[in-house]
């Protein structure tokens, strides 16, 4: 039977179903399985996925392959509501920061960062963060809760929709970095589910090279890293000396550099794949010659790219950003030792959208 339901009516039907689960928490396999178990055509899952993830505004009226019963079933089982963008801030360099409200009223931030051809979106994986890194604005908030896969995917969809409407000249699907609020490996299962959904051919169809996960070095999560598709890994190193790293990333007291590298060495890399080592450069703290020598000791023989991030200051920050000349000197010295080094250009700092500047409490007052 031909489906005849207007999308607006459909949404009302669905949001009134209290027990419904978010559709965006379902992988394609899970959806096919559920349909099959309930006596529906398994193949309809492909159709439904394409509508929801490729059009973002699925109009079931237009689909004549979905039976009325299938639509009714989907409508009683799933909710399709997305997080709400409650604030948009545009930076001078075209970076856009979104304050996004979740169904329970909690808020997180996501940031669209422009690169030559397309945008990268920086997604949050938790409300706040438990890691309490001394240089990070988000850490000041503490951890409130983990995000669900649907809320991670929801950030992507609402930002992508915004992009299509507001910057139509650059609408290719954004790359993803898990570098917003939260420690993604501390919320492993939901991040894993979200990654799988992002990669689904019938859905958003991103390539695994389009996704990068950044971690402070949470070992229980790193141990499971190979359960994920082959996405890029970035490790927040920030110091090659345990004593100093302990002060920057308290997690290091539990998982020392030795233990961390032991785990990293077990991760199988594809041909030409590297681990990116993020190195927050802080004035007079980790920018000494001794740091360069020890960085070479740890990374010289490993498949590593060093990504220097000059410290981004935030209100009340305990550290200072080094001069650009110092950043360049640090880079050159590492390169002379044969290391591959990049410097991350700071984007969106005039709206506190740069690395480590995300803090929802602050966003509300800016
Ligand atoms: N929890 C993850 C991802 C979030 S932070 C992690 O620790 O990797 C993403 C990157 O921004 C990390 O490398 C982080 O160390 C860096 N960062 C945090 N605060 C910063 C700041 N104030 N200035 C520059 N980079 C910062």
């Amino acid at each position: 039977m031909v489906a005849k339901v207007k999308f607006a009516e459909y949404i009302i039907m669905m949001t009134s179903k209290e027990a419904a689960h978010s559709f965006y928490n379902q992988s394609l396999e899970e959806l096919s399985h559920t349909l099959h178990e309930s006596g529906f055509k398994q193949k309809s899952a492909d159709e439904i996925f394409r509508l929801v993830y490729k059009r973002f505004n699925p109009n079931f009226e237009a689909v004549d392959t979905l039976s009325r019963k299938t639509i009714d079933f989907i409508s009683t089982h799933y909710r399709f509501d997305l997080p709400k963008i409650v604030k948009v801030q545009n930076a001078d360099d075209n970076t856009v920061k979104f304050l996004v409200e979740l169904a329970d009223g909690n808020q997180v931030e996501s940031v669209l960062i422009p690169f030559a051809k397309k945008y990268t979106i920086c997604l949050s994986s938790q409300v706040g963060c438990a890691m309490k890194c001394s240089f990070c604005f988000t850490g000041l908030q503490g951890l409130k809760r983990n995000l669900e896969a649907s809320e991670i995917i929801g950030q992507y969809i609402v930002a992508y929709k915004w992009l299509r409407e507001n910057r139509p000249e650059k609408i290719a699907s954004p790359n993803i970095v898990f570098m917003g609020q939260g420690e993604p490996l501390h919320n492993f299962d939901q991040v894993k589910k979200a990654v799988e959904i992002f990669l689904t051919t019938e859905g958003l169809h991103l390539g695994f090279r389009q996704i990068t996960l950044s971690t402070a070095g949470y070992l229980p999560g790193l141990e499971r890293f190979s359960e994920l598709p082959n996405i890029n890994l970035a490790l927040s190193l920030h110091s090659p000396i345990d004593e100093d790293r302990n002060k920057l990333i308290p997690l290091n007291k539990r998982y020392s550099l030795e233990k961390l590298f032991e785990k990293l060495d077990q991760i199988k890399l594809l041909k030409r794949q590297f681990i990116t080592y993020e190195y927050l450069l802080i004035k007079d703290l980790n920018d000494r010659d001794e740091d360069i020598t020890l960085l070479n000791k740890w990374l010289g023989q490993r498949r590593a790219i060093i990504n220097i991030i000059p410290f981004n200051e935030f209100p009340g920050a305990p550290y200072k950003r080094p001069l650009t000349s110092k950043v360049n000197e640090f880079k050159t010295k590492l390169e002379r030792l044969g290391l591959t080094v990049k410097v991350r250009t700071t984007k969106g700092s005039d709206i506190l959208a740069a690395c480590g500047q995300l803090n929802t409490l602050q966003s509300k007052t800016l």
Side-chain angles (χ1 to χ4, degrees), residues 122 125 129 131 133 135-138 178-184 213-217 234-238 249 278-281 309-314 317 321 344 354-357:
C122 177
S125 54
C129 185
M131 300 298 131
C133 298
F135 50 82
C136 181
F137 205 18
T138 310
F178 282 100
M179 295 188 188
Q181 287 167 9
E183 165 50 50
L213 182 150
S214 176
T215 176
L235 190 281
S236 293
L237 186 59
H238 307 336
I249 307 177
E278 294 159 290
Y279 196 87
L280 185 63
L281 203 62
I309 317 171
F311 177 66
N312 292 317
E313 296 180 15
F314 54 82
R321 187 182 179 92
R344 186 179 293 172
C355 288
Q357 294 185 313

